[in-house]
Amino acid sequence: MELFALEHKRLWRTTRVWLCVLLCFVYSVVWGSVVWNQWPGFGSTNDSTDMYDNNFDGYSNIRGFQEEFSQFGDEWTDETLQKMVAKYQSYDPMNRPGLRSMGDWILASGYLNKLYPELEDPEGQEYQPLIHYVDTTKLTDFYQRRADLLEFTLETTRQNEGMSEADKQMLLDMNSKIKEPWPYEWTQGWSDLSFGWSKMAPYLAIALAFVFSGEWYSNTAPLLHTTKYGWKKLARVKVLGGMAFALEFYLLIAGGKVLVQLIYFGTSGWDLPVQYISLLAVAPWNMLQAELYQLAFGLIGMFGYAGLVMLMSALAKNNVLALVFSLAFVYVPDVLGRYLPKWLMAVSQYLPLVGNSYDYLSYNIFHIFGMSVWSPWMLITVPFLIGVVCIPFAIKGWARRQKV
């Protein structure tokens, strides 16, 4: 424990490490959460189309939206959609809220386009969004229309992408667990639950890529073999210290972003279904469950990536190579994505911090040992296993490099 404490303290005291943590905190929490919510993300708009010309009043503007859209009731029904569209049409055509504003007008407009395409006017208004002129009395059977569109979409996917009938039924069974009518309140604050985990990869790589290779750089590696602890214990302590750092780094960033979210949005909206993010999603989850998944995705990704980085550090005597190889796992799949075979691109999505944390909105299913597995569960399992597998190889790899 004493050796672990010393190694852990040594890692945190490194200028490179605390500077990375500070920069990531400023970028992700201060700018990406506080400033974003207060200014370009949710600040009130003016005549400019540039979101960076928004006013610096996000907190009060969010409260205004929450109060404004509470007038449409606490459940999403045909009447809710009708009232919302009618309210929009009641505004002066020259002063209607922009569909790109943080109001739920864009939500209603998107639903109209997907579920009521036959109501589009072929006589000259086709260049206007449907929400501008649709007859609200015809906006009925919302949930049945969604069910029909989902059935059609899944059948099309089955025919075009090789989805089996069993997979299609599995997705429909998941969808059947979604309770109707959906709870409703202002949704735009929950339209983006992403924590941007992949953006943390460079900071974590810079912090941990030198854990083993740095010993060669500072010419202390041979000396470590003469200590009373031995190379195996020292290597284990280094790995544990790196994993502890990854956990603390995660808690600092994730905790900061969640705290800011609670300040700006509160707990209002946790019970909203994820179908407000993607109409045809089949996951029977609410926003709180989706956010917990996002947090689990980040934690597992950070753990797995820390294992990968320390393995690269153990295999390379050069600090630069260790860092480049570590970053390659995250950025090469993105850069070369369209040039890679489809199967290889699919496999690369299960590398730590590479996959899409919104995969719970997709229809991806894998077949493993005769079992059908929904891909979101793979995304929080495979990166963890990669991290676990990397640890013993990092320890042994460091010893092998020492003997060469």
Side-chain angles (χ1 to χ4, degrees):
M1 183 59 69
E2 180 183 358
L3 186 59
F4 168 79
L6 290 173
E7 181 64 29
H8 183 254
K9 185 182 296 185
R10 177 192 176 196
L11 182 62
W12 269 104
R13 284 183 173 178
T14 305
T15 303
R16 180 190 69 255
V17 172
W18 65 256
L19 188 58
C20 280
V21 173
L22 177 62
L23 289 174
C24 187
F25 185 84
V26 171
Y27 174 74
S28 298
V29 179
V30 178
W31 166 257
S33 292
V34 178
V35 177
W36 178 264
N37 288 338
Q38 188 66 18
W39 178 27
F42 297 95
S44 58
T45 59
N46 47 41
D47 294 335
S48 173
T49 58
D50 187 347
M51 62 183 179
Y52 291 101
D53 283 338
N54 287 357
N55 299 312
F56 201 78
D57 58 356
Y59 184 85
S60 60
N61 201 37
I62 288 170
R63 296 297 177 273
F65 278 125
Q66 289 174 334
E67 182 178 356
E68 178 181 4
F69 285 89
S70 65
Q71 65 181 292
F72 300 115
D74 56 6
E75 290 184 341
W76 186 270
T77 62
D78 292 344
E79 290 73 19
T80 305
L81 180 59
Q82 292 168 3
K83 290 178 181 178
M84 192 176 293
V85 174
K87 178 67 174 180
Y88 186 82
Q89 293 177 354
S90 71
Y91 289 110
D92 185 305
M94 301 303 295
N95 290 310
R96 282 174 176 163
L99 290 181
R100 294 183 180 273
S101 72
M102 287 297 104
D104 277 349
W105 313 118
I106 192 171
L107 178 76
S109 183
Y111 285 177
L112 293 181
N113 294 336
K114 291 179 180 178
L115 300 182
Y116 303 90
E118 78 281 2
L119 299 182
E120 290 187 6
D121 186 356
E123 299 298 329
Q125 298 192 78
E126 64 270 20
Y127 298 110
Q128 288 284 346
L130 192 55
I131 192 174
H132 283 256
Y133 60 85
V134 69
D135 182 353
T136 58
T137 62
K138 297 180 179 180
L139 302 179
T140 58
D141 301 323
F142 175 87
Y143 290 106
Q144 185 57 53
R145 284 173 176 265
R146 176 187 174 275
D148 293 341
L149 181 58
L150 177 61
E151 174 74 29
F152 173 79
T153 302
L154 291 178
E155 181 59 26
T156 302
T157 303
R158 187 186 70 80
Q159 295 178 4
N160 296 340
E161 301 182 17
M163 177 188 292
S164 69
E165 188 64 36
D167 291 344
K168 173 186 171 182
Q169 189 57 49
M170 174 182 171
L171 294 171
L172 288 174
D173 289 343
M174 291 173 60
N175 181 72
S176 67
K177 298 177 182 177
I178 301 172
K179 296 180 180 180
E180 299 174 358
W182 304 338
Y184 174 73
E185 48 194 287
W186 179 63
T187 68
Q188 290 304 302
W190 299 97
S191 60
D192 183 7
L193 294 176
S194 175
F195 283 78
W197 298 118
S198 62
K199 296 176 182 178
M200 294 179 64
Y203 303 100
L204 188 60
I206 293 173
L208 297 182
F210 307 151
V211 167
F212 291 110
S213 64
E215 301 295 355
W216 289 101
Y217 180 79
S218 58
N219 294 319
T220 59
L223 180 63
L224 294 177
H225 282 277
T226 66
T227 65
K228 63 179 180 179
Y229 298 109
W231 68 267
K232 280 190 175 181
K233 188 169 184 179
L234 285 170
R236 292 193 189 103
V237 166
K238 283 180 173 295
V239 168
L240 288 175
M243 290 299 179
F245 169 80
L247 175 61
E248 292 159 352
F249 189 21
Y250 164 84
L251 291 175
L252 178 66
I253 303 301
K257 292 179 78 71
V258 169
L259 177 61
V260 173
Q261 184 186 76
L262 288 172
I263 292 173
Y264 276 86
F265 304 108
T267 60
S268 176
W270 276 0
D271 61 335
L272 298 177
V274 296
Q275 283 66 36
Y276 286 121
I277 301 176
S278 177
L279 175 64
L280 299 183
V282 297
W285 292 0
N286 58 32
M287 297 296 184
L288 176 58
Q289 291 169 316
E291 180 151 315
L292 291 175
Y293 176 85
Q294 291 269 356
L295 292 171
F297 176 91
L299 177 60
I300 295 301
M302 293 282 282
F303 177 85
Y305 190 63
L308 267 176
V309 172
M310 286 188 286
L311 176 59
M312 295 301 101
S313 180
L315 297 179
K317 290 184 178 181
N318 186 286
N319 286 341
V320 175
L321 285 179
L323 180 59
V324 169
F325 290 150
S326 298
L327 294 175
F329 282 103
V330 174
Y331 293 107
V332 168
D334 184 50
V335 173
L336 300 181
R338 61 178 180 172
Y339 304 107
L340 297 176
K342 188 175 180 179
W343 68 268
L344 185 57
M345 187 59 190
V347 170
S348 70
Q349 297 305 299
Y350 294 90
L351 291 172
L353 299 180
V354 173
N356 185 357
S357 60
Y358 275 104
D359 202 52
Y360 57 85
L361 302 175
S362 74
Y363 305 141
N364 299 324
I365 294 177
F366 288 87
H367 301 95
I368 303 175
F369 303 117
M371 298 184 299
S372 296
V373 181
W374 191 34
S375 63
W377 303 131
M378 297 279 290
L379 281 173
I380 58 173
T381 303
V382 175
F384 175 81
L385 295 177
I386 290 175
V388 170
V389 169
C390 284
I391 289 174
F393 283 100
I395 295 172
K396 293 180 181 179
W398 189 50
R400 185 169 63 253
R401 301 292 293 180
Q402 297 270 20
K403 295 175 182 177
V404 174

